[in-house]
Amino acid sequence: PGMFNPFMVMGAFHAVELRYIFQTKLAGPTFNLPLNAAQQRMADQMLGYWARFAAGGQPRLDGAPAWPRFAPSSA
């Protein structure tokens, strides 16, 4: 029952982030659906984090949630 969500069928899987990073159609039926508004905001934020990390080693964005440094003791 309820709305079918093709992204939940497989759960989390390798390379699922590519659709959000490259924001383009990829192979497979679930990758050809347009991003909704919430997905687009997440894609924009992910791309910002990745670009800032690539440019300066720190994934920090103004106005976005902080991405704290990983510490094994916090896992």
Side-chain angles (χ1 to χ4, degrees):
M3 184 188 295
F4 172 72
N5 184 339
F7 297 102
M8 298 307 289
V9 174
M10 295 182 274
F13 58 94
H14 179 67
V16 72
E17 76 281 4
L18 296 179
R19 179 167 183 261
Y20 296 95
I21 297 302
F22 295 109
Q23 299 184 28
T24 187
K25 292 182 178 182
L26 300 172
T30 60
F31 287 117
N32 290 324
L33 299 174
L35 297 177
N36 65 33
Q39 291 170 321
Q40 186 62 57
R41 283 190 302 276
M42 183 179 72
D44 293 342
Q45 192 172 66
M46 286 174 64
L47 187 56
Y49 280 131
W50 283 33
R52 289 292 296 267
F53 181 74
Q58 298 293 324
R60 294 192 180 120
L61 295 177
D62 293 337
W67 190 328
R69 182 179 296 273
F70 175 76
S73 61
S74 67

